Amino acid sequence: MSSVLNTVSSLRLSRVYNSNNNNHLRLPTHSVLTPPSVSFTRRRLTIRAADTDTNEVKSKAPDKAPAGGGSSFNQLLGIKGAAQETDKWKIRLQLTKPVTWPPLVWGVVCGAAASGNFHWNLEDVAKSILCMIMSGPCLTGYTQTLNDWYDREIDAINEPYRPIPSGAISENEVISQIWLLLLGGLGIAGLLDVWAGHDFPIVFYLALGGSLLSYIYSAPPLKLKQNGWIGNFALGASYISLPWWAGQALFGTLTPDIVVLTLLYSIAGLGIAIVNDFKSIEGDKALGLQSLPVAFGAETAKWICVGAIDITQLSIAGYLLGAGKPYYALALVGLIVPQVVFQFQYFLKDPVKYDVKYQASAQPFLVLGLLVTALATSH
């Protein structure tokens, strides 16, 4: 769930020009973030298009293009190895990275379970599905599109065949998609508050806060992702804490102990976020971003990554044991074991080559552990 673009002054892409038959891509100037405001007047929301359409930007590194033309399935999921696509709707879907939606959707499930008030009737199921749409396709899609926009210069180095740096989609089309997904997600959040009969629109404010967090994560001048620790924790909290809070607030009461517990669980989310940093080392170094693989080196960073994931979950298991819930604690430990196995089998061998295999193999056990914890707190 993530960020509000209330007051972006302007985004400019520098011209792409030809000189002596060589293409040059000048890095875009940074936008300026003015103080936040919830005013939605047209004048303050203006984003000026660049003089040059992004369609003119062409990849200079065809050697980095996906082997064999890439996969159409990967393209739809928004992961690396994607096939080049000309259909604009498929490109728009790719920018939202559907592969990133399930953790947010699952977070809503965990929050609903932790509330202790979810019932398997038509109304509660409909509410939960709408909350999942808000968290996944809308606000996560918004976050991913926004992140790709601000990462276009990094992607021009690491993955020049991606939709924005390759020119497969124009600047105005990207910006319109960002706004549509953001406003759609906030609108759904407000509707959920009305549906749940909230006196205070807590779901809306959670969506608004998460959206702002996403913006400052990706955009200058704060650009939290420049710092590996702060940025990755913010990302982990967005994927674990925020959807959980939304689901629990929708069906029950969000309590301080749950807020603290989920924020601690977000340290595991920090570890998951580090996994994605390994493939961007080259571009991060070139642009001065201090991701953990850049700051500590790949060998040290991969151990920080798995340590954050494993130690956090073991600590939560210890908490459940101390709270008199040994069966839940034992179930959580049982779900940690296969994650450790896959870490040694894939991630620790080569975090770049096996990142997708590792995440596909290990993360289902982590998200099941989240549900175990949620069920434990609801009883």
Side-chain angles (χ1 to χ4, degrees):
M1 293 176 64
S2 321
S3 130
V4 122
L5 285 173
N6 297 11
T7 51
V8 184
S9 57
S10 69
L11 298 168
R12 287 191 179 274
L13 251 179
S14 301
R15 286 187 177 277
V16 178
Y17 63 92
N18 260 328
S19 175
N20 299 326
N21 297 322
N22 291 322
N23 290 329
H24 299 270
L25 176 62
R26 185 181 300 167
L27 297 183
T29 57
H30 286 167
S31 62
V32 179
L33 177 64
T34 56
S37 164
V38 292
S39 171
F40 285 88
T41 59
R42 181 176 181 82
R43 179 175 5 184
R44 302 194 65 178
L45 294 178
T46 300
I47 299 177
R48 293 202 301 269
D51 296 330
T52 302
D53 195 294
T54 309
N55 284 331
E56 296 178 21
V57 180
K58 300 300 179 184
S59 166
K60 288 178 59 182
D63 56 300
K64 292 188 178 184
S71 163
S72 296
F73 183 68
N74 287 12
Q75 189 273 330
L76 293 175
L77 291 180
I79 58 179
K80 69 179 184 179
Q84 296 283 8
E85 183 57 65
T86 56
D87 185 291
K88 279 294 170 67
W89 288 106
K90 289 183 179 180
I91 292 170
R92 288 184 180 279
L93 182 64
Q94 181 181 357
L95 285 174
T96 67
K97 293 188 180 70
V99 74
T100 63
W101 301 351
L104 281 294
V105 169
W106 191 255
V108 173
V109 172
C110 292
S115 73
N117 292 321
F118 177 83
H119 303 286
W120 286 101
N121 57 46
L122 183 60
E123 182 178 4
D124 282 3
V125 170
K127 283 181 185 176
S128 64
I129 291 174
L130 195 58
C131 192
M132 291 172 188
I133 292 171
M134 175 196 74
S135 301
C138 288
L139 293 182
T140 305
Y142 150 76
T143 299
Q144 295 296 342
T145 307
L146 181 73
N147 188 64
D148 264 24
W149 171 254
Y150 282 106
D151 273 1
R152 60 197 184 277
E153 64 268 29
I154 299 177
D155 288 340
I157 299 170
N158 293 317
E159 299 175 277
Y161 47 85
R162 286 195 58 77
I164 296 175
S166 70
I169 187 168
S170 73
E171 172 185 345
N172 287 335
E173 288 170 327
V174 175
I175 292 173
S176 65
Q177 175 163 320
I178 290 170
W179 279 111
L180 180 64
L181 293 172
L182 172 63
L183 297 178
L186 293 177
I188 292 174
L191 176 62
L192 287 171
D193 280 316
V194 173
W195 196 351
H198 292 158
D199 294 327
F200 178 79
I202 184 170
V203 178
F204 174 81
Y205 279 109
L206 285 172
L208 188 64
S211 300
L212 177 59
L213 180 62
S214 286
Y215 179 72
I216 64 175
Y217 171 80
S218 296
L222 296 179
K223 203 174 179 74
L224 298 182
K225 68 184 298 179
Q226 292 180 115
N227 182 294
W229 293 109
I230 298 174
N232 284 333
F233 182 77
L235 192 61
S238 297
Y239 273 73
I240 292 178
S241 298
L242 284 170
W244 181 316
W245 297 350
Q248 185 156 350
L250 181 61
F251 292 101
T253 302
L254 184 59
T255 56
D257 58 322
I258 290 297
V259 171
V260 172
L261 180 66
T262 51
L263 284 175
L264 290 175
Y265 223 129
S266 296
I267 297 173
L270 177 151
I272 296 170
I274 297 171
V275 175
N276 296 316
D277 289 337
F278 286 90
K279 69 177 184 294
S280 302
I281 292 176
E282 182 183 348
D284 290 347
K285 282 182 178 178
L287 295 168
L289 300 183
Q290 288 298 302
S291 66
L292 295 186
V294 171
F296 293 97
E299 192 65 26
T300 300
K302 69 184 183 183
W303 286 101
I304 294 174
C305 174
V306 298
I309 293 171
D310 299 341
I311 293 172
T312 298
Q313 292 179 93
L314 288 170
S315 299
I316 298 295
Y319 164 78
L320 295 178
L321 184 62
K325 299 175 181 179
Y327 296 113
Y328 289 104
L330 184 61
L332 184 54
V333 171
L335 291 168
I336 296 171
V337 171
Q339 294 178 61
V340 175
V341 170
F342 288 123
Q343 285 164 3
F344 280 95
Q345 184 176 353
Y346 294 124
F347 184 74
L348 292 172
K349 283 184 178 179
D350 190 331
V352 177
K353 181 179 180 181
Y354 295 118
D355 65 330
V356 175
K357 280 189 176 181
Y358 165 67
Q359 293 188 76
S361 303
Q363 284 194 20
F365 294 98
L366 185 142
V367 297
L368 284 173
L370 278 170
L371 182 59
V372 167
T373 304
L375 292 170
T377 60
S378 69
H379 293 84

